[in-house]
């Protein structure tokens, strides 16, 4: 453990040194590094796909499920999407140096609040190799350094992607240490990194609940938490049912293994008899397994649809698969009560034509994104106009929701006087 701690401390020290350079790097230089990184990713497509094929084959042999393999898999389209995501960050406003407020004190002091980088951001993640380039790009533009600790299951893929990022940094005259892939995927190395108070400024774990809780319990550095994505779609009594069907299918079936996918469908008792057969059929056609409360199970079975009686543990559970819990609720009040009990503060959606119901839902639901008449899948940095994201925070300090460029900065007070003393 001592040798591992020493090697991780040395790596973090390199990152800390690079952070001093990145904090003052001008925007045009950072943007050039991003463009060069995107070009390097495209040039490396064949190497990335070859490495990824080995990672996927190993994960398949290990018995990983379909949702896991989908998160791990890269193809030419996904690599191009990674490059475009990096390029999209170029178009975003650089937050570093932004003056967010200013005022003058009665004694003549001029005070302003100015954004500055956090410093060294440690990203701990599983399975998603696209996170390597996404996080590196956002950290680069916001003047931070990314220390990238991916999982062993994507180590080959991450290595090639990280090399492309390093090439982009070097081509722009910035230190390649501004995006460091941790070469050791052991738990000991991870424990060493999260102990490095003074070298690591923020840790963002992104993966299963077990990983995130482990990091939060052992870290000596600040941690942004995202335990689960237990997302609900509530079909209100005044909902347009055709719209509800489109939203529910997209929220659950478009990509079930991601954190903003719907895990539980709530249907108002006022429309359940009409709505559930159509909603259930649309989900079953997309191979979604339904687990219903007694009333939901009765209505779905009555429509000739396969349904499993839901256990108590199915509510509040993050399936990350083609499985959905279904509950019939007693109006808006019942939906609010259910979400308050089982929600994870990630994403909650209502489908309704009632402005009053929408206002109450958005006011009373506690979640990083509350969505009206749209899919939960829109709680995503790119979809909300933030560019790529480093993750979605379900804690409220210091960020809540998708973490883009501004969430990777802090603010300092700059005070200017002309000789005032206290």
């Amino acid at each position: 453990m001592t040798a591992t701690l020493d090697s991780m401390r040395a790596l973090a020290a390199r990152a800390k040194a690079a952070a001093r350079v990145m904090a003052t790097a001008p925007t045009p230089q950072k943007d050039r590094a991003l463009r060069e990184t995107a070009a390097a990713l495209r040039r490396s497509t064949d190497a990335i796909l070859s490495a990824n094929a080995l990672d996927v084959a190993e994960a398949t042999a290990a018995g990983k499920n379909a949702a896991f393999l989908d998160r791990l898999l890269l193809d030419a389209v996904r690599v191009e999407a990674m490059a475009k995501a990096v390029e999209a960050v170029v178009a975003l406003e650089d937050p570093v140096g932004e003056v967010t407020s200013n005022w003058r004190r009665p004694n003549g002091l001029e005070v302003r609040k100015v954004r500055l980088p956090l410093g060294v951001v440690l990203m701990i993640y599983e399975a998603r190799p696209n996170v390597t380039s996404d996080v590196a790009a956002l950290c680069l533009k916001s003047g931070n350094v990314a220390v990238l600790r991916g999982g062993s299951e994507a180590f080959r893929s991450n290595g090639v992607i990280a090399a492309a990022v390093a090439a982009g940094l070097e081509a722009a005259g910035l230190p390649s240490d501004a995006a460091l892939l941790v070469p050791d995927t052991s738990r000991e190395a991870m424990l060493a990194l999260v102990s490095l108070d003074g070298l690591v400024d923020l840790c963002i774990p992104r993966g299963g609940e077990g990983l995130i809780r482990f990091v939060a319990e052992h870290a000596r550095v600040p941690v942004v938490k995202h335990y689960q994505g237990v997302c609900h779609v509530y079909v209100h009594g005044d909902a347009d049912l055709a719209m509800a069907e489109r939203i529910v299918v997209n929220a659950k079936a478009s990509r079930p293994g991601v954190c903003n996918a719907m895990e539980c469908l709530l249907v108002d008792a006022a429309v359940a008899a009409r709505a559930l057969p159509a909603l259930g059929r649309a989900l079953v056609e997309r191979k979604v397994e339904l687990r219903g409360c007694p009333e939901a199970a009765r209505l779905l079975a009555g429509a000739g649809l396969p349904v499993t009686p839901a256990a108590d543990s199915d509510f509040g559970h993050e399936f990350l698969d083609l499985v959905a819990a279904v509950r019939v609720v007693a109006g808006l009040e019942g939906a609010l009560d259910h979400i308050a009990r089982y929600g994870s503060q990630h994403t909650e959606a209502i489908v309704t034509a009632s402005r009053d119901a929408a206002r109450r839902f958005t006011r009373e639901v506690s979640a990083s994104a509350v969505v009206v008449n749209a899919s939960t899948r829109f709680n995503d940095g790119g979809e909300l106009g933030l560019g790529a994201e480093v993750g979605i925070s379900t804690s409220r300090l210091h960020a809540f929701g998708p973490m883009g460029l501004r969430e990777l900065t802090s603010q300092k007070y700059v005070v200017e006087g002309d000789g005032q003393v206290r």
Side-chain angles (χ1 to χ4, degrees):
M1 181 63 182
T2 301
T4 300
L5 179 60
D6 288 345
S7 65
M8 292 301 102
R9 183 179 286 114
L11 183 142
R14 288 165 52 197
K16 197 71 171 179
R20 289 192 63 191
V21 178
M22 295 303 299
T24 58
T27 302
Q29 188 178 20
K30 293 188 288 187
D31 287 344
R32 181 186 171 193
L34 289 166
R35 293 190 187 95
E36 295 284 357
T37 294
L41 286 169
R42 292 188 174 103
R43 288 195 305 271
S44 303
T45 297
D46 289 346
I48 291 170
L49 296 183
S50 295
N52 185 250
L54 295 173
D55 287 335
V56 171
E58 193 170 276
T60 303
K64 299 294 185 181
N65 63 29
F68 183 97
L69 293 174
D70 177 63
R71 294 194 296 273
L72 177 61
L73 178 66
L74 294 176
D75 55 23
V77 173
R78 289 186 177 182
V79 173
E80 176 61 21
M82 288 162 52
K84 286 181 177 177
V86 172
E87 289 174 329
V89 178
V90 175
L92 299 176
E93 186 178 350
D94 188 344
V96 179
E98 176 189 356
V99 178
T100 60
S101 58
N102 61 84
W103 59 95
R104 182 182 177 88
R105 298 292 295 142
N107 63 2
L109 288 177
E110 299 285 349
V111 185
R112 62 184 182 270
K113 294 184 75 173
V114 182
R115 292 195 182 277
L116 75 161
L118 294 173
V120 176
V121 177
L122 167 61
M123 190 77 187
I124 298 174
Y125 54 106
E126 299 173 324
R128 297 175 173 88
N130 64 291
V131 170
T132 303
S133 56
D134 285 355
V135 170
L138 284 171
C139 285
L140 193 167
K141 184 67 179 261
S142 56
N144 294 290
V145 166
V147 175
L148 304 158
R149 193 277 186 186
S152 59
E153 66 285 339
F155 187 70
R156 300 178 186 87
S157 305
N158 290 337
V160 183
I161 295 167
V165 176
L169 286 161
E170 290 177 347
L174 290 170
S176 59
D177 282 351
L180 285 170
L181 182 69
V182 179
D184 185 342
T185 61
S186 70
R187 179 157 289 196
E188 290 75 20
M190 181 173 65
L191 284 170
L193 285 166
V194 301
S195 75
L196 296 177
D197 186 26
L199 290 175
V200 173
D201 296 290
L202 181 70
C203 175
I204 306 174
R206 183 169 170 178
E209 183 180 4
L211 169 72
I212 296 166
R213 290 197 181 278
F214 181 85
V215 170
E217 288 167 5
H218 291 86
R220 294 177 57 193
V221 302
V223 177
V224 170
K225 304 176 188 69
H226 163 171
Y227 287 129
Q228 286 186 306
V230 181
C231 306
H232 298 81
V233 175
Y234 165 50
V235 180
H236 182 247
D238 288 340
D240 176 325
L241 297 185
M243 177 193 292
E245 182 177 321
R246 292 195 303 273
I247 289 170
V248 166
V249 168
N250 179 264
K252 178 70 260 185
S254 63
R255 201 169 179 195
V258 294
C259 62
N260 56 17
M262 181 192 79
E263 300 293 14
C264 182
L265 170 63
L266 303 176
V267 181
D268 199 302
V271 293
R274 287 189 296 123
L276 260 180
L279 293 171
R281 187 169 294 108
L283 289 170
V284 168
E285 285 174 355
R286 288 157 180 83
K287 304 188 185 307
V288 177
E289 176 190 340
L290 304 177
R291 300 182 184 178
C293 73
E295 179 62 7
R298 183 184 71 81
L299 291 170
L300 290 165
L305 296 168
V307 58
T308 302
D312 288 343
S313 59
D314 288 324
F315 298 106
H317 184 74
E318 187 179 33
F319 297 105
L320 295 175
D321 204 348
L322 287 170
V323 181
V326 185
R327 171 165 277 173
V328 175
V329 294
L332 179 57
E333 197 71 46
L336 293 171
D337 287 346
H338 179 99
I339 291 169
R341 178 176 179 184
Y342 295 106
S344 63
Q345 302 203 56
H346 194 291
T347 312
E348 307 295 354
I350 182 173
V351 185
T352 182
S354 167
R355 288 189 176 183
D356 288 341
R359 284 196 201 99
R360 186 176 174 199
F361 191 85
T362 57
R363 183 177 66 249
E364 296 188 23
V365 167
S366 177
S368 74
V370 183
V371 183
V372 178
N373 293 332
S375 172
T376 57
R377 297 275 286 111
F378 284 107
N379 190 6
D380 170 87
E383 295 294 336
L384 296 179
L386 305 180
E389 65 181 36
V390 298
I392 296 177
S393 170
T394 57
S395 55
R396 301 190 186 203
L397 294 176
H398 72 282
F400 197 29
M403 293 185 63
L405 291 176
R406 281 175 173 75
E407 289 72 29
L408 287 172
T409 64
S410 184
Q411 297 185 66
K412 63 182 175 183
Y413 289 91
V414 176
V415 183
E416 293 188 5
D418 57 2
Q420 291 90 335
V421 294
R422 181 174 176 181

